[in-house]
Amino acid sequence: MSAVLPIRTEEIISYNPATGAEVGRVPQTSADDVKAAVTRSRSAFQNWKKTSFKERAAYIMQAREVILSQMDEIAHLISAESGKPFGEAISMEIAPVLDLMQYFARNTEKLLGPTKIGIGLYALLGRSSKIVYHPLGVVGIIPAWNYPFSIPLGEAVMALMAGNTVVIKPSELTPMVGLKIGEIFEKAQSTTNLRLSNIVQIVTGDGQTGAALVEAAPDKIMFTGSVATGKKIAAAAAKNLTSCVFELGGKDPMIVFADANLELAAGAAVWGAFCNSGQSCSSVERLYVQENVAEVLTRKIVEKVRELTQGVGDSEDISIGAMSSERQIKIVEDHVEDFRAAGAKIEIGGRRNPDLEGLFYEPTVITNASNDMRAMQEETFGPTLPVATFTTEEEAIRLANDSEFGLTASVWTRDRAKGERVARQIEAGSVCVNEVLYTHGIAQTPWGGFKNSGRGRTHGREGLMELVQPQHIHINLLALLPDAWWMPYSPNAIITFRAMARKFASGSIIKTTMLLPQLARRIKELVTKR
Ligand code: NAD
């Protein structure tokens, strides 16, 4: 069911960022081959869209079984190609996507079921309206490298359940994980009764291959990556009016009030800032703590960081792995230098790990940070936790919202009402109270950003809605008489139209019912003129 395109114009070599060892080689797929893949996908769609939700669900659940049977092997591959710890590959990629697969396999039929809509006066005239949802066609998925398994796979599952076919262009840093996704679907297909090909295709390559996929005019682009690339894709997609969902960067704030459970908040800050070496779009990138507890919270955080072991991700007692690329580690170095130069203090870390050879940057805690520092505004995407202070609730909200991004945020307090009050004022797509980072792992709720963090949503019913087109089915249940607004017009017609205009807008069922005799007179007029 999946196909890796055969023609190699160039090769991409994937390396383990922790060891430098080669993980695999893949073709740099040419623009012509990408176009051919989209054409195949479009023709596969003609059959796939006719399958029932039950058949699609069986296929997805079979793919889920394949993943379960290969869990450790897949986790080792994710770890090898991305540098993240083996444990995180399971807890943050495999576990959530298994949940997502089950959720959409079980619930898509209900979530995309026809919706009956109340239509006011028209209903009184014997009409009814419902909305049915049609798949779009070919969905092109262009993900980043930081969650190379769960993000493209999750989006593919939703697209397939909605009746679309899929072409995935994995990140050039993690192509082997991309191919694994293709293999999983292929294996799943061989164990179902469905005999359909090209439902899921993987085209490997770098940004040029991604651009070719956009150029090939799929019916939707699901893009995850940087704001800069998002803008390029938006411009290219505009040529064909291709609609896109953009899941972009973040600079997510964590607000800790003095009444919070500081022990818990410290643990959350460490996990939120340093898991996946800080390379999560929803990583804690800015911590704002109420001034009177800043010292104690920072001390707790630093103590916890001291306990962490950094190393090659496939070892089970490693908490912090390698970063994914030299380019990314250089951004971290630049930002830490910016903090230093601007007068912030490095409490721990602040350098590449001198004891390790791969791309390891030490988990770094920085105090005396403030929003006027460049590194507090640009996305770092690395293991840094800058801490700034605030005194009032209003100041905390203002500081948190002082960003071009708005992906996620968290608020820490024992006062639940305050937590929710503050959460509602944060400009972000997802805000946690006394929790951090993991809401992308909740398949049932919409995921996406405010401001430059994105457009559109994935996950939840809102995410499914991005993958279908609604169709309004309107039925005249009586269909015996002409409509009052048909031609020819007459003075009586004008009286009717005036009355309709007034009563339509009245919102009152009684006033609307009073319109019926005039409508009857007008219809009689039309019938007798025939
Ligand atoms: P990137 O923008 O460099 O690349 C993302 C993908 O786009 C890659 O597959 C790349 O090959 C492809 N690409 C590059 N140029 C292209 C072009 N002109 N046309 C089409 N495709 C092109 O991003 P990255 O460095 O891989 O990822 C890091 C970024 O992703 C961070 O900003 C992070 O916050 C963001 N991210 C966001 C979310 C979210 O859900 N909001 C999740 C994960 C990562």
Side-chain angles (χ1 to χ4, degrees):
M1 191 164 281
S2 74
V4 181
L5 297 173
I7 298 169
R8 294 179 173 209
T9 49
E10 241 182 80
E11 246 179 3
I12 289 185
I13 307 177
S14 155
Y15 295 101
N16 181 332
T19 62
E22 183 177 320
V23 182
R25 288 170 187 237
V26 297
Q28 163 80 20
T29 311
S30 71
D32 283 349
D33 283 346
V34 172
K35 208 166 159 199
V38 170
T39 305
R40 282 197 297 274
S41 193
R42 188 149 282 136
S43 97
F45 170 67
Q46 296 310 323
N47 288 324
W48 182 249
K49 69 178 181 186
K50 291 182 201 141
T51 54
S52 67
F53 284 109
K54 218 166 154 204
E55 285 170 315
R56 293 175 203 164
Y59 175 45
I60 298 301
M61 290 305 277
Q62 206 48 50
R64 194 175 177 278
E65 284 305 314
V66 176
I67 298 170
L68 280 167
S69 70
Q70 298 181 9
M71 173 147 29
D72 279 18
E73 184 200 320
I74 295 170
H76 278 298
L77 177 63
I78 296 171
S79 171
E81 214 170 33
S82 69
K84 70 179 68 184
F86 171 75
E88 264 174 24
I90 297 177
S91 67
M92 297 193 66
E93 296 228 47
I94 296 177
V97 86
L98 288 172
D99 182 59
L100 180 149
M101 293 171 96
Q102 176 149 282
Y103 176 68
F104 285 106
R106 285 186 178 166
N107 293 289
T108 303
E109 182 167 13
K110 192 171 72 202
L111 292 167
L112 292 184
T115 323
K116 238 184 153 246
I117 305 280
I119 50 168
L121 173 68
Y122 293 103
L124 218 68
L125 300 175
R127 325 290 154 113
S128 92
S129 276
K130 67 169 82 157
I131 311 297
V132 295
Y133 299 95
H134 292 273
L136 298 171
V138 179
V139 175
I141 300 178
I142 306 178
W145 41 263
N146 62 335
Y147 288 90
F149 189 67
S150 58
I151 291 183
L153 175 55
E155 287 174 352
V157 165
M158 292 179 66
L160 291 168
M161 280 306 306
N164 303 288
T165 51
V166 163
V167 179
I168 304 175
K169 200 298 284 175
S171 166
E172 56 274 35
L173 291 180
T174 51
M176 301 309 291
V177 176
L179 291 187
K180 189 76 196 171
I181 293 172
E183 252 179 70
I184 290 164
F185 280 116
E186 201 158 355
K187 195 141 196 243
Q189 201 235 337
S190 67
T191 53
T192 65
N193 294 329
L194 294 168
R195 288 293 165 261
L196 302 164
S197 54
N198 299 315
I199 302 306
V200 176
Q201 295 174 83
I202 315 292
V203 293
T204 53
D206 60 15
Q208 291 173 56
T209 311
L213 180 51
V214 178
E215 190 70 27
D219 300 283
K220 186 94 187 189
I221 299 279
M222 300 293 294
F223 172 72
T224 308
S226 61
V227 175
T229 307
K231 286 181 182 175
K232 281 188 207 160
I233 290 178
K239 273 195 249 159
N240 296 306
L241 290 180
T242 308
S243 84
C244 305
V245 168
F246 294 105
E247 301 290 354
L248 309 176
K251 189 76 187 171
D252 296 357
M254 171 173 182
I255 299 175
V256 183
F257 285 99
D259 67 346
N261 179 332
L262 295 183
E263 184 57 30
L264 220 58
V270 169
W271 184 69
F274 302 129
C275 83
N276 202 19
S277 277
Q279 301 167 115
S280 303
C281 45
S282 50
S283 284
V284 175
E285 291 236 352
R286 299 175 288 151
L287 193 158
Y288 299 104
V289 55
Q290 209 152 19
E291 205 168 23
N292 52 341
V293 295
E295 215 179 300
V296 48
L297 182 73
T298 311
R299 197 179 60 240
K300 282 176 186 291
I301 290 172
V302 171
E303 276 164 14
K304 287 183 191 300
V305 171
R306 264 189 236 293
E307 288 165 16
L308 304 177
T309 315
Q310 188 165 36
V312 179
D314 61 5
S315 155
E316 292 191 0
D317 53 3
I318 289 297
S319 295
I320 313 263
M323 297 200 62
S324 290
S325 68
E326 180 62 27
R327 183 176 148 259
Q328 204 53 47
I329 211 167
K330 284 211 162 97
I331 297 173
V332 178
E333 287 179 321
D334 171 48
H335 282 192
V336 171
E337 265 333 294
D338 182 69
F339 278 123
R340 269 202 190 102
K345 184 174 171 220
I346 313 297
E347 299 286 345
I348 189 167
R351 56 178 188 175
R352 288 185 193 230
N353 191 320
D355 303 324
L356 296 166
E357 280 187 2
L359 300 176
F360 293 92
Y361 198 90
E362 290 183 347
T364 299
V365 180
I366 300 156
T367 51
N368 294 340
S370 63
N371 276 18
D372 53 5
M373 296 172 184
R374 178 172 59 88
M376 281 291 266
Q377 295 296 336
E378 293 175 7
E379 184 181 44
T380 306
F381 224 52
T384 56
L385 179 61
V387 182
T389 59
F390 66 90
T391 48
T392 64
E393 190 176 311
E394 293 67 34
E395 189 188 5
I397 294 165
R398 183 177 54 74
L399 290 170
N401 286 339
D402 171 25
S403 170
E404 65 167 298
F405 297 109
L407 190 56
T408 77
S410 71
V411 183
W412 293 77
T413 171
R414 283 194 170 91
D415 177 346
R416 218 189 290 170
K418 177 164 76 177
E420 190 169 336
R421 182 173 70 232
V422 173
R424 283 169 182 256
Q425 293 176 77
I426 305 284
E427 295 156 357
S430 170
V431 186
C432 298
V433 178
N434 297 329
E435 217 8 294
V436 76
L437 186 128
Y438 75 87
T439 45
H440 186 271
I442 308 175
Q444 296 78 1
T445 55
W447 172 266
F450 286 15
K451 303 195 274 191
N452 273 354
S453 285
R455 295 289 182 275
R457 292 293 180 269
T458 181
H459 296 179
R461 185 167 190 272
E462 291 83 349
L464 272 181
M465 286 298 144
E466 302 277 4
L467 298 161
V468 290
Q469 44 196 340
Q471 181 183 44
H472 174 196
I473 305 285
H474 183 69
I475 300 172
N476 182 346
L477 303 164
L478 304 173
L480 296 167
L481 298 166
D483 285 329
W485 47 86
W486 286 5
M487 292 173 184
Y489 301 145
S490 66
N492 187 36
I494 304 303
I495 294 169
T496 312
F497 297 163
R498 268 201 212 99
M500 282 174 71
R502 290 200 184 93
K503 311 288 192 224
F504 252 141
S506 73
S508 149
I509 225 349
I510 297 170
K511 282 192 184 169
T512 307
T513 316
M514 280 161 59
L515 180 64
L516 290 177
Q518 178 58 33
L519 279 172
R521 276 193 289 280
R522 167 67 180 147
I523 290 166
K524 190 169 168 208
E525 177 187 32
L526 283 171
V527 172
T528 50
K529 273 192 182 159
R530 275 203 294 204

